[in-house]
Amino acid sequence: MSSTFTTSAARNIFYGGAVFSFLLLLALTFRTEQVLPQRDQRAQLDNPQVVAGKRIWENNNCIGCHTLLGEGAYFAPELGNVYKRRGPDFIKAWIKGQPTGAPGRRQMPQFNLTEQELDDMVAFLKYASEINTAKWPPNIEG
Amino acid sequence: MKYKSQAVAKPYFIAAMGLFVAQILFGLIMGLQYVIGDFLFPHIPFNVARMVHTNALIVWLLMGFMGSAYYLVPEEAETELHSPKLALILFWIFLVAAALTVIGYLAVPYATLAKITGNDLLPTMGREFLEQPTITKIGIVIVALGFLYNLSMTFLKGRKTAIASVLMLGLWGLAIFFLFSFYNPHNLVKDKFYWWWVVHLWVEGVWELILGAILAFVLIKVTGVDREVIEKWLYVIITLALVSGMVGTGHHYFWIGAPEFWQWWGSIFSALEPVPFFAMTLFAFNMVNRRRREHPNRAATLWALGTGVMAFLGAGVWGFLHTLAPVNFYTHGSQITAAHGHMAFYGAYVMVVLTMISYAMPLMRGRAANSNKAQVVEMWAFWLMTVSMVFITLFLTAAGILQVWLQRVSDTPLSFMATQDQISLFYWMREAAGLVFLIGVVTYLVSFFIKGEERAA
Amino acid sequence: MDTTINPRPVSAGVEPHLHGDLAIWFFIIAELLAFGVFFVAYAVTRAFNVEAFNAAQAGLNLNLGALNTVLLISGSWCVVRSVQAARADLQVQAVRWMAVALACGVGFLIVKVIEYRAKFAAGLTMDTDTFHMFYFSLTFFHFMHVVLGVCVLTILLFKLRRGAYGSHDVHGLETGAAYWHMVDLAWIVLFPLVYVMR
């Protein structure tokens, strides 16, 4: 079987295919934006504590050890559902108690958060735990 | 080297190799912290080591891409670089910015860094891989714009080959999608959703154009196969890459709050992502088999072939392993992800940059290829790094399977930390493989200093 | 990867010849792979939820689907006639057939939009249930292909009018035609699978 194979055809198909795929991604993104309000708990963002908590989460690089909804580093436990696993009081006490100093064990730094900041953090983790994640993680351990 | 100005690639490559070493050293620190948790604590907490490890990788790959582009575009366009001076100025700006950022990571707590760099004015920090202070990000944009201006001017005034066009498209895409790193909404789902427009659309989108272009360039040079043949295959491969990879972004949208149709779209399209990588492997081997000359730089040819194989294994096979939603439900955010990440980055992007360095460095040093002795050492480095990376990946995969089993599948699931204790043996083995990788890197660097009979360029 | 590169004019030899550029055939294979995996996913999911799928499927408008099938098959036929005319240097006929093919493609899009509007008016979306996820995904994915195909046919139409194709060269025309036939083929599988099969 013989055939013709030209660079110009390959190039045109590349550009056509690339534009096509990107438009498809945009269309699916458009649909995503329409559905998100039912899933992403955006009403909770009216609470300034949640917003402040997200900033504290970012400013201390929590994602550098933990995962949040499964994304991040895999060195320390998943925190997307930690509010449900441990509850607010445990979370605050835990952060305050770090580092444990237990020899040979993984250590979490002391971030010197104020009581207000701890509450913000908890509010953020509560918000994260209520996002509709299609039933992920498989169990409470994350 | 056909044009004097191509030599600006050299400092980029040297800096890239310096950062490569830093990346590996911090990787070893992290690897040890996985098993000796308080190692170097509190001086270098894990999150800091990880930032240095991942950001050094990103920066050195960008340096490698930039160096490759400065070398490749003038030669393809058959003209001198628009402004070699601008290229050198931007190099120093980029290097100093990168160095300051790393010093910032290591010298002060991250929260302090966020404060002194004014993160509250435009908060972009504290997200995985995008940990750089906002001012560093702005610096990256400025450097990228200057770089793109310089190369676009060069490209426009010269011959517009397919390889150069694809490379330029990839580089512009890289800069444009990076702009999403400035979008950090309070809404966590949207934050994560568009975060992937930087991360996924880089590594499984526009970076593949850069990878394909560099690989095609080196293959033309070392095999002597007709440009026409190589270029049309390049187009076919990158078409497959974008058609599968763009919508394949959906494989990150399964469990972060995005609608559930992504489970289907993401699974189906990302399942096709191995296809372009497989095509790339076939392509590289075919071109080398059809070679019309015996290029004296056999090490560069080895790297080029290695890129094809390892990119297919790491990005293709290991990506496919956990890309289907029902599988990913269990493996998401486990050591399986880490295993895939390591081999994919090494196989696709580290190796393609090393391919280019291996090909271009001798030419910039005034010879067609290094001495046989130097090349033998370089090939040792290739095998040390590649084989140890295979083992790192296998050990992490084993750790990941056990982790998933103990923590997520079992009827009596263990907690995260209890699981980690159970699988520490694999982390020890990974660390040992990592040490071999470091030996490979050192061997690689040594190969640059080995003399012997060289052939003139 | 072993392909012989022929000179551009169509070879009249006895050797079997793949019409259209090899590059489009790689693309077609990739596209059919994507459609194929999607179809298999649909079939398997349906096998596990036959009753729910049948119930939801009853709401589909078979007439509009059938009309679209006729439009696409006619469009493909017209493209074939256009290529044949171009090969025989019958430029006027080639242009006419191509224009009719284009009209069929546009007609398909209009009918599809009517169908979608009725679905949206009934409050049905991709997120209603699994069947509708597949229904909207598959038909929309195909819809995008028809849009791209219509763009291709438009380009071919203009080039035909400029006299770019004839017995001296039908390569580009055949390449575009091959893509259009693929779009048609995908629908011919999609229609029975999603609309008809109970």
Side-chain angles (χ1 to χ4, degrees), chain A residues 22 24-33 36 39 69 71 131-136, chain B residues 177 180 183 188-201 245-267 270 322-323 325 328-329 332:
Chain A
F22 190 64
L24 191 56
L25 177 62
L26 284 182
L28 293 171
T29 299
F30 178 74
R31 179 64 197 153
T32 302
E33 289 281 357
L36 277 189
R39 306 178 61 93
L69 308 187
E71 294 171 357
I131 288 169
N132 182 347
T133 56
K135 302 192 180 69
W136 193 90
Chain B
F177 286 118
F180 281 94
Y183 178 63
L188 185 63
V189 180
K190 285 169 88 171
D191 173 4
K192 284 174 172 292
F193 190 92
Y194 291 104
W195 178 83
W196 284 112
W197 285 45
V198 185
V199 178
H200 177 96
L201 292 182
M246 289 267 194
V247 180
T249 316
H251 66 178
H252 301 292
Y253 294 160
F254 300 161
W255 328 113
I256 62 164
E260 280 157 46
F261 67 76
W262 283 111
Q263 291 182 23
W264 295 98
W265 283 88
S267 298
S270 66
H322 59 143
T323 202
N328 193 263
F329 181 69
H332 179 55

Side-chain angles (χ1 to χ4, degrees), chain B residues 326-397:
Chain B
V327 177
N328 193 263
F329 181 69
Y330 290 100
T331 62
H332 179 55
S334 71
Q335 294 297 325
I336 305 274
T337 319
H340 160 62
H342 279 83
M343 202 198 246
F345 261 98
Y346 175 74
Y349 300 116
V350 169
M351 287 183 87
V352 80
V353 170
L354 297 186
T355 302
M356 189 68 182
I357 292 178
S358 179
Y359 169 74
M361 233 11 196
L363 292 163
M364 286 191 284
R365 297 165 89 194
R367 48 189 182 246
N370 291 324
S371 70
N372 193 46
K373 235 166 94 186
Q375 286 196 41
V376 169
V377 176
E378 189 180 341
M379 291 190 209
W380 267 98
F382 169 94
W383 288 110
L384 282 169
M385 284 195 253
T386 304
V387 172
S388 59
M389 183 51 81
V390 169
F391 278 98
I392 289 174
T393 306
L394 289 174
F395 293 144
L396 286 179
T397 306

Side-chain angles (χ1 to χ4, degrees), chain A residues 103-120:
Chain A
R105 305 292 298 173
R106 296 181 191 175
Q107 298 295 316
M108 174 166 156
Q110 174 51 248
F111 293 111
N112 301 310
L113 302 183
T114 63
E115 199 63 27
Q116 172 69 43
E117 288 170 326
L118 286 167
D119 287 332
D120 295 344

Side-chain angles (χ1 to χ4, degrees), chain C residues 91 95 153-165 172:
Chain C
Q91 200 205 345
V95 170
L153 294 188
T154 309
I155 294 167
L156 293 180
L157 181 64
F158 276 98
K159 291 187 81 168
L160 273 171
R161 281 178 56 169
R162 269 195 282 121
Y165 302 120

Side-chain angles (χ1 to χ4, degrees), chain B residues 51 85 145 188 278 293 410 419 435:
Chain B
M51 271 195 293
K85 199 189 244 171
L145 283 179
L188 185 63
F278 186 64
R293 68 162 87 104
S410 150
T419 308
L435 272 174

